[in-house]
Amino acid sequence: MKYILHIDMNSFFASCEAIDHPEYLNKPLAVSGKTKRSVVCSANYLARSYGVKAAMPIYMAQKLCKNLIVVIPHFDLYHHYSELFINVIQTQFTNIIEIGSIDECYADITSLVNAKNDPLSIAKRIQIAIKRATGLGCSIGIANIKFLAKMGSEYKKPMGISTMWKQELPTKLWPQPIENMFWIGRSTAQLLRKNGITTIGDLAKKENKSLLQKLLDKNWVVHYEHANGIGDDTLDLSHNTPKSIGSSETFLNDTDDFDEIKGKLIELTRDSFNRLQRHELQCKTLNVSIKTPDFKLHTKSLTLTKYINDFEQILLKIITLYQNNFADKTIRLVGVSFSNLFDNRQVEFTNELFDDYYKSPDKQETSNAMDEIIQKINHKFAKNIIDTAKNKIS
DNA sequence: TCTGGGGTCCTAGGACCC
DNA sequence: TCTGGGGTCCTAGGACCC
């Protein structure tokens, strides 16, 4: 049996801003862009008391709260505080940590629990240590699996600490509306509600199993087990390289002006490309997406025969992709992203192997040589390289 | 005043290969 | 005549998270 914590920083972006600007203290504060199409990223609790919520259009937030202070986001600042709070847990408590996002993580404290230190007191110490080191508040959920720890950190905010033991499910979890269930979003919640499943308790009921199976296809088991306190307790400790990198932007006004769109495509491609390089990655698939005035998203993608890291080439392909598919469309948003990412070192290495292979008169001999090299290299990369090799040669 | 931007994962159909 | 079965990759869309 493991002891898992979920640590969730309270109104993270807004709290970081308030620490940086003491004059915002005790004033309603929202982090948001400042154009007419911006939405709220994060709001402090005072602003929330006026009804201001994340993802709400900023004009609406300002209507609800006349003296709302609006600050544009400063991601460098948030990354700084994110590293700080992770560091507190890592250096003072445990390094078995799974980083969920910029403002949350799971921590496995099983090895710290003993007769003198129960999970609740450890959680309290973590909360205090984070507050002392960063000035930031957090909520912590305590449970035996990740899902319940996550539900626990949501249970009481801000600065809450809540256990979600299995025996507490009937009183703490099951009365909650189905919408609160992690991994059940708006459309699934709607579907379930329409069919009479309105609380997490309904989801947990044995007699609803066949109904769930009918409504949710394969996923039903995971949700059913979660609602009954069964789930994953293993933390993912790898800080994985990203699977895709991209940027998008909403225009101030809908547009079909290709010069304007092209200018934005250049900007977005530049930005994504810079991040691609910072991660030392190359890509094979280019994606261009648009959002039309009816809010529908459309994507066109192009997979190349080899990995690419030349900005001019990428840009040319992106612009062609746009022109071939979306020319003359009126759009409200345009986006660029790269996927099918591969480590620079691996790309270089595989390209050399393939050149050797193609040039070689004796394919079998080269193939054997490749196998030998693959045996010797870093195990972590071997699978990717073999996969690519198979793909490319076939 | 009218609804962001960064991601991950899954699905389903079609192409293609053996 | 009427047409397999398994596998992978690509594409587009959608659900979900923060």
Side-chain angles (χ1 to χ4, degrees):
Chain A
M1 180 84 87
K2 288 186 186 171
Y3 292 104
I4 310 287
L5 302 185
H6 183 259
I7 297 142
D8 192 298
M9 304 304 288
N10 299 139
S11 52
F12 185 58
F13 293 179
S15 304
C16 292
E17 295 292 345
I19 287 173
D20 232 35
H21 298 269
E23 67 271 25
Y24 298 154
L25 214 68
N26 301 319
K27 299 204 171 119
L29 176 69
V31 177
S32 163
K34 291 197 170 180
T35 77
K36 61 174 182 177
R37 285 183 162 177
S38 298
V39 302
V40 175
C41 279
S42 168
N44 69 4
Y45 283 88
L46 194 50
R48 290 186 204 191
S49 71
Y50 288 85
V52 175
K53 284 182 201 158
M56 172 184 275
I58 191 67
Y59 76 87
M60 217 183 263
Q62 283 171 316
K63 212 155 66 179
L64 287 170
C65 178
K66 298 280 182 236
N67 51 346
L68 184 68
I69 297 171
V70 180
V71 201
I72 58 165
H74 300 94
F75 287 100
D76 290 345
L77 183 71
Y78 314 145
H79 280 291
H80 167 71
Y81 280 109
S82 183
E83 280 172 25
L84 274 184
F85 96 83
I86 293 290
N87 202 256
V88 168
I89 305 167
Q90 225 158 22
T91 57
Q92 300 179 33
F93 297 92
T94 175
N95 52 22
I96 310 180
I97 292 181
E98 176 178 329
I99 295 173
S101 71
I102 194 164
D103 68 344
E104 59 174 303
C105 71
Y106 294 94
D108 183 336
I109 55 158
T110 312
S111 66
L112 303 178
V113 176
N114 54 43
K116 281 192 202 146
N117 296 288
D118 59 290
L120 192 67
S121 65
I122 296 169
K124 278 182 187 158
R125 274 161 45 210
I126 291 178
Q127 196 181 49
I128 291 166
I130 290 175
K131 182 81 182 177
R132 196 175 292 151
T134 65
L136 297 166
C138 64
S139 294
I140 301 181
I142 309 170
N144 303 121
I145 61 168
K146 284 159 72 176
F147 168 77
L148 291 180
K150 171 93 182 166
M151 296 304 292
S153 71
E154 291 287 323
Y155 194 71
K156 186 164 173 265
K157 282 183 165 183
M159 285 298 271
I161 295 180
S162 311
T163 55
M164 239 346 136
W165 305 126
K166 229 173 154 175
Q167 64 270 22
E168 298 177 305
L169 299 189
T171 54
K172 286 188 170 176
L173 188 70
W174 292 350
Q176 292 190 41
I178 192 75
E179 286 76 11
N180 287 9
M181 179 100 183
F182 186 57
W183 282 120
I184 293 206
R186 224 193 12 210
S187 59
T188 308
Q190 250 173 32
L191 179 72
L192 291 172
R193 194 163 273 281
K194 230 172 47 195
N195 286 275
I197 294 174
T198 62
T199 66
I200 298 181
D202 293 333
L203 195 59
K205 280 182 192 152
K206 227 188 243 171
E207 57 264 37
N208 283 333
K209 270 167 92 167
S210 59
L211 179 61
L212 289 179
Q213 197 164 5
K214 208 175 73 191
L215 295 174
L216 305 181
D217 330 308
K218 278 181 192 164
N219 276 336
W220 78 273
V221 188
V222 179
H223 295 313
Y224 175 77
E225 289 186 342
H226 276 166
N228 282 290
I230 299 164
D232 191 9
D233 65 359
T234 307
L235 271 49
D236 181 358
L237 310 180
S238 63
H239 16 93
N240 288 320
T241 56
K243 306 270 195 302
S244 69
I245 289 177
S247 328
S248 62
E249 201 173 307
T250 299
F251 291 101
L252 219 47
N253 297 297
D254 296 355
T255 182
D256 61 356
D257 174 357
F258 185 64
D259 286 338
E260 186 184 10
I261 294 167
K262 187 176 165 185
K264 193 55 75 184
L265 281 170
I266 296 170
E267 239 178 75
L268 296 170
T269 307
R270 179 92 257 170
D271 177 62
S272 305
F273 182 74
N274 287 344
R275 279 186 287 141
L276 190 69
Q277 292 218 305
R278 228 174 294 144
H279 286 279
E280 301 187 322
L281 294 167
Q282 300 190 28
C283 67
K284 205 165 75 143
T285 303
L286 310 175
N287 310 284
V288 173
S289 46
I290 60 165
K291 195 190 271 178
T292 42
D294 59 3
F295 278 84
K296 288 217 161 68
L297 265 168
H298 302 272
T299 305
K300 287 287 171 186
S301 59
L302 171 69
T303 298
L304 309 166
T305 48
K306 49 194 238 192
Y307 292 90
I308 184 172
N309 70 342
D310 179 285
F311 176 74
E312 295 300 328
Q313 275 184 51
I314 291 176
L315 182 61
L316 194 67
K317 289 184 194 298
I318 290 281
I319 290 172
T320 312
L321 198 54
Y322 187 92
Q323 280 180 309
N324 288 347
N325 296 286
F326 302 134
D328 302 326
K329 278 244 174 15
T330 299
I331 60 172
R332 61 174 291 131
L333 166 146
V334 66
V336 169
S337 81
F338 307 138
S339 51
N340 236 322
L341 308 181
F342 213 44
D343 191 284
N344 271 337
R345 281 157 56 204
Q346 299 177 58
V347 174
E348 231 171 84
F349 187 75
T350 43
N351 282 346
E352 274 172 35
L353 282 181
F354 299 133
D355 284 346
D356 287 352
Y357 180 79
Y358 287 126
K359 278 184 229 142
S360 159
D362 183 347
K363 302 288 188 229
Q364 189 53 50
E365 189 190 313
T366 317
S367 175
N368 294 343
M370 280 169 65
D371 285 344
E372 256 177 58
I373 297 168
I374 284 167
Q375 304 267 317
K376 284 184 207 154
I377 57 168
N378 188 337
H379 179 69
K380 198 172 117 190
F381 295 148
K383 192 187 172 304
N384 277 336
I385 289 176
I386 293 165
D387 286 350
T388 309
K390 274 196 247 158
N391 179 21
K392 191 147 178 177
I393 289 166
S394 64

